[in-house]
């Protein structure tokens, strides 16, 4: 049982076995197209095949549908005697303007017909393959438009006498005859060269014929792959054939051997290229319920080919039933028909392979068959705007990390609070290190040191202990009401980093005034309390209550008044009702700094763990608080705990503890692993490692190259170039390789004499004072061939490339020839640049 789509209609096909049946394909979703009186069968979940006509009186061996709708449904039927009849489903007469129907093409000697193939371009040509018989040809090319008068009369009369139907027109002479005394097995027409065919012959040849010169084949190769020859009509150079259980793919531009051979489990029954997509090949095997589809991307270029040249798919359309034949749809690339020996037809639609790709500008693009679709992910998905690649691209366009002004980087990070704090710390450390007004950073190797490095930089002497009284409560102060404060040189340095100080005399501090001006009233009041300036804290809360009370209607101002009133009743005596009540209510206070105030006021025995372990407080305030009120052992233990926590969390705010050091690199490794933000790691670390040995750290170099590749993939060429310039300025120890040099015409190597220059410099230093000896040479230092001469003064090229003077001057300063004459005779100088 065979099946074939109509080459002229998208919705018609025929099957032929014992009967020849014509079907129309209807959509099951459109019930108006279904005729309950018509016979048919369901061929898929979406389609139904209605039987249009059936022919039972033809004993045929092969059938071919003419790719032309004039007349419609014209079939060439090959008989076992070798005759070819042209018949048609439908009406006759006006539908046949050129009189093709009822024509019959007769052989000189009857032989079985093996195949029929219509020319897809010149549709009046029909190729027939027959069995071998003596000296007769096995491939006949018929002109279906020919008339009997075009041929010798005695042949036509003889054919007519042998026929019982006087209305039949007999044609006995082919237009072309090929393969004399040979056997033909299969044939296919070329689409771009409609007068060329490829045929499998004599069980051992594949031959390409040009009908304009049919006496001999144009190309021939010896092979056993002579069955089911077919040509990819969208790429004529690609030919497929088979033999037993092997499929061969040929390239007609190199026809000596197949470019690819694919093995099947059983003998191959049929192979066919898709008519709607280039490189799509299907095949079926004997007694197999499935078929294979190969999607060829390219031809393998050799033994070193790593990727397979095709994608193989396995399709099971009809369950356990064997497939006897199939045919591709003429216009839909992913659709074909299969038929079983019992005549069950299945309409198979192959699911398209979807290739998805993110474009550098955050477009999601995918290819599905012949269509390419694209949408902007940020416009359709708000979550995509938080993707790290989007953020990095947005920052790069704003100049992130390539400005010497840290404030510009703070603006680039926008609302990313952790990165904003990172750059605020970098800015603060840079200002403190450049300030020469007595700040204690002169011992640090570079400005971006962390708290851990400062506290562990040198063996410490025990911190001094002082007892401070509450400012504004001197009349009520006693030994019990005083707070113990620890002081040392290292603690003083850390407090400067945090903006705090050990100033106990002044009524306020710059950090307190700054926080109050920024509207951070609760934090300002807490810092004032931690410095034992209780009266200042009460005034901040009262002033804040007045400001917030006039601007806000949520009761915030009234709450600050309540806290100010509570502070005014503070007494540092133990076991008071005030302390007991406030200690019980501390956990109910929502604001972290207000809660910390009352923890500090109600604590006993210098137990400040509730403040030190509160993650809602700023890290700088916690460290400064520990430097003032924690013992030496507790301070180092606390800093180590925080450092490990921030490194494990990958929190960039932890550079306050680690600094931009080896420990800081560990922090950024964890940060990059969790956020993939290699951009921030690079632009922040190169701030500190510009002149340090850490600039040669392999991890940093890997991040730098990764970020440069990211900018290139984003097509941010200008930003990449600006980053390279900034990087070169920062890495002052990095030597740039020469990109322009003079090379020898014979060996092609650079004419560089830096080693000779250094040797002369040493000789000058050993022989005494005097001007340095200028190296002048006459030959290439590598191959010793003579250097070119000036055409006027015949001097050799004397000043080698690579010297400092050559780098700083213009091109003519590299050569004494230019210095002397400012001229160059190109024909006389064989050297090249």
């Amino acid at each position: 049982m065979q099946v074939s789509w109509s080459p002229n209609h998208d919705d018609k096909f025929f099957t032929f076995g014992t009967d020849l049946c014509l079907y129309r394909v209807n959509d099951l979703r459109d019930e108006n197209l279904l005729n309950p009186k018509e016979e048919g069968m369901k061929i898929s979940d979406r389609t139904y095949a209605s039987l249009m006509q059936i022919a039972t009186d033809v004993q045929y061996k092969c059938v071919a549908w003419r790719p032309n709708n004039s007349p419609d449904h014209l079939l060439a039927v090959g008989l076992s005697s070798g005759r070819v009849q042209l018949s048609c489903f439908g009406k006759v007469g006006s539908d046949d303007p050129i009189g093709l129907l009822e024509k019959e093409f007769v052989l000189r000697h009857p032989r079985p017909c093996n195949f029929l193939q219509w020319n897809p371009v010149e549709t009046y040509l029909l190729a027939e393959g027959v069995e071998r018989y003596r000296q007769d040809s096995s491939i006949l090319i018929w002109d279906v438009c020919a008339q009997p008068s075009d041929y010798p009369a005695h042949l036509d009369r003889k054919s007519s006498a042998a026929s019982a139907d006087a209305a039949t027109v007999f044609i006995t002479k082919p237009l072309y005859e090929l393969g004399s005394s040979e056997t033909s097995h299969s044939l296919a027409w070329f689409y771009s060269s409609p007068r060329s065919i490829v045929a499998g012959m004599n069980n051992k040849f594949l031959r390409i014929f040009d009908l304009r010169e049919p006496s001999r084949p144009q190309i021939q190769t010896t092979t056993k792959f002579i069955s089911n020859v077919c040509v990819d009509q969208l790429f004529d150079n690609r030919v497929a054939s088979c033999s037993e259980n092997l499929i061969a793919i040929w390239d007609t531009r190199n026809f000596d051997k197949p470019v690819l051979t694919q093995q099947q489990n059983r003998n191959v029954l049929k192979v066919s290229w898709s008519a709607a997509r280039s490189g799509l090949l299907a095949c079926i095997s004997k007694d197999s319920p499935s078929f294979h589809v190969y999607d060829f991307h390219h031809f393998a270029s050799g033994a070193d080919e790593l990727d397979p040249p095709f994608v193989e798919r396995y399709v099971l359309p009809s369950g356990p039933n064997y497939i006897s034949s199939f045919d591709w749809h003429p216009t839909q690339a992913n659709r074909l028909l299969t038929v079983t020996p019992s005549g069950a037809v299945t309409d198979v639609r192959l699911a398209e392979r979807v290739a998805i790709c993110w474009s550098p500008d955050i477009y999601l693009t995918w290819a599905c068959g012949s269509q390419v679709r694209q949408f902007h992910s940020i416009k359709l998905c708000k979550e995509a705007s938080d993707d790290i690649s989007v953020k990095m691209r947005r920052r790069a366009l704003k100049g992130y990390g390539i400005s010497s002004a840290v404030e510009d980087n703070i603006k680039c990070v926008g609302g990313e609070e952790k990165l904003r704090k990172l750059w605020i710390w970098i800015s603060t450390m840079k200002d403190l290190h450049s300030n020469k007004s007595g700040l204690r950073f002169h011992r640090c190797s570079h400005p971006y040191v962390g708290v851990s490095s400062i506290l562990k930089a040198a063996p410490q002497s025990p911190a001094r202990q002082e007892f401070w009284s509450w400012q504004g409560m001197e009349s009520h102060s006693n030994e019990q009401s005083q707070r113990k404060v620890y002081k040392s040189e290292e603690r003083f340095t850390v407090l400067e980093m945090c903006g705090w100080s050990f100033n106990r005399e002044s009524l306020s501090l710059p950090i307190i005034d700054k926080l109050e001006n920024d509207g951070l009233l609760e934090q300002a009041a807490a810092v004032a309390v931690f410095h034992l300036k209780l009266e200042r804290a009460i005034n901040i809360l009262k002033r804040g209550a007045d400001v917030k009370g006039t601007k806000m209607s949520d009761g915030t101002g009234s709450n600050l008044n309540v806290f100010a009133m509570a502070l005014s009743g503070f007494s540092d005596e133990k076991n008071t009702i005030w302390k007991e009540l406030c200690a019980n209510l501390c956990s109910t206070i929502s604001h972290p700094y207000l809660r910390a105030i009352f923890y500090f006021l109600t604590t006993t025995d210098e137990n400040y763990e509730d403040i030190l372990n509160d993650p809602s407080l700023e890290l700088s305030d916690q460290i400064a608080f520990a430097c003032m009120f924690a013992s030496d052992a507790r301070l180092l233990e606390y800093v180590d705990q925080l450092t490990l926590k921030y490194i494990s969390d990958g929190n960039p705010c932890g550079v306050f503890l680690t600094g931009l050091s080896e420990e800081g690199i560990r922090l950024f490794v964890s940060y990059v692993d969790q956020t993939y933000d290699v951009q921030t790691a690079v632009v922040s670390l190169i701030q500190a490692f510009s002149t340090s040995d850490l600039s040669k750290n392999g991890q940093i170099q890997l991040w730098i190259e990764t970020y440069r590749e990211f900018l290139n993939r984003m097509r941010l060429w200008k930003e990449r170039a600006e980053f390279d310039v900034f990087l070169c300025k920062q890495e002052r120890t990095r030597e740039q390789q020469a990109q322009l040099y003079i090379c020898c015409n014979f060996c092609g190597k650079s004419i560089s004499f830096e080693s000779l220059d250094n040797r002369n410099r040493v000789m000058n230093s050993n022989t005494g004072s005097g001007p340095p000896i200028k190296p002048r040479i006459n030959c290439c230092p590598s191959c010793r061939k003579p250097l070119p001469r000036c055409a006027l003064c015949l001097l050799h090229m004397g000043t080698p490339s690579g010297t400092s003077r050559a780098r700083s001057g213009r091109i003519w300063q590299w050569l004494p020839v230019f210095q002397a004459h400012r001229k160059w005779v190109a024909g006389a100088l064989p050297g090249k640049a």
Side-chain angles (χ1 to χ4, degrees), residues 106-109 111 128 130 133 135-142 151 155 172-182 197 201 209-211 213-216:
V106 184
L107 300 180
R108 183 179 297 108
H109 300 97
R111 287 166 286 165
E128 178 188 10
V130 294
Y133 181 79
Q135 301 298 320
D136 289 357
S137 300
S138 60
I139 297 178
L140 308 174
I141 309 298
W142 301 98
Y151 300 98
L155 293 178
T172 59
K173 185 175 182 180
L175 186 60
Y176 301 103
E177 297 184 52
L178 307 172
S180 177
S181 302
E182 295 181 322
I197 60 172
M201 306 182 71
F209 292 92
D210 189 342
L211 299 183
E213 190 179 350
S215 59
R216 59 182 179 85

Side-chain angles (χ1 to χ4, degrees), residues 510-526:
I511 182 65
I512 298 176
D513 297 337
K514 181 179 183 300
L515 292 173
E516 185 178 11
N517 293 332
D518 292 343
L520 303 174
L521 303 175
E522 295 85 354
Q523 185 176 354

Side-chain angles (χ1 to χ4, degrees), residues 57-77:
D57 55 347
V58 180
Q59 300 297 323
Y60 50 83
K61 191 173 182 182
C62 52
V63 179
W65 202 322
R66 185 181 183 227
N68 192 308
N69 55 5
S70 178
D72 202 5
H73 306 153
L74 180 64
L75 303 178
V77 179

Side-chain angles (χ1 to χ4, degrees), residues 138-164:
S138 60
I139 297 178
L140 308 174
I141 309 298
W142 301 98
D143 182 0
V144 298
C145 295
Q147 299 298 325
S149 59
D150 298 336
Y151 300 98
H154 68 279
L155 293 178
D156 292 335
R157 286 194 297 270
K158 180 179 179 181
S159 300
S160 300
S163 175

Side-chain angles (χ1 to χ4, degrees), residues 227-270:
S227 301
N228 289 303
V229 176
C230 55
V231 176
D232 187 351
Q233 61 178 292
L234 300 179
F235 185 65
D236 267 2
N237 294 322
R238 189 183 287 130
V239 178
S241 61
C242 65
S243 174
E244 297 180 350
N245 66 331
L246 295 175
I247 299 175
I249 308 299
W250 304 83
D251 188 344
T252 58
R253 296 166 296 187
N254 184 13
F255 212 52
D256 295 334
K257 60 180 180 179
V259 295
L260 179 68
T261 303
Q262 188 67 17
Q263 185 175 2
Q264 304 296 313
N265 295 330
R266 296 182 176 89
N267 289 346
V268 179
L269 291 180
K270 182 179 180 180

Side-chain angles (χ1 to χ4, degrees), residues 4 74 115 153 157 216 221 230 242 270 277 311 313 324 333 416 438 444 482 530 572 623 744 762 780 787:
S4 176
L74 180 64
F115 58 82
R157 286 194 297 270
R216 59 182 179 85
T221 185
C230 55
C242 65
K270 182 179 180 180
R277 181 183 299 174
V311 175
R313 303 176 65 180
S324 60
E416 300 177 68
C444 303
Q482 293 178 342
F530 297 155
D572 208 12
I623 294 296
C744 175
V762 173
C780 171
L787 296 176

Side-chain angles (χ1 to χ4, degrees), residues 345-365:
V345 180
T346 304
D347 186 1
V348 181
R349 296 176 186 266
L350 303 177
E352 293 284 1
R353 294 187 303 108
V354 179
I356 302 177
C357 180
W358 285 101
S359 65
D361 48 358
I362 320 301
Y363 278 89
L364 181 63
T365 306

Side-chain angles (χ1 to χ4, degrees), residues 504-558:
R504 59 187 294 186
E505 303 298 335
S506 64
L507 297 178
S508 185
L509 296 174
I511 182 65
I512 298 176
D513 297 337
K514 181 179 183 300
L515 292 173
E516 185 178 11
N517 293 332
D518 292 343
L520 303 174
L521 303 175
E522 295 85 354
Q523 185 176 354
V527 174
V529 170
F530 297 155
H531 284 82
L532 279 65
K533 304 181 187 299
L534 187 62
E535 185 177 357
R536 179 77 172 98
I538 295 173
N539 293 332
I540 292 173
L541 293 177
K542 290 172 60 179
R543 190 176 300 110
D546 296 338
V547 173
K548 290 191 175 183
T550 59
K551 294 183 178 180
M552 305 180 67
S553 60
D554 57 355
T556 307
S558 301

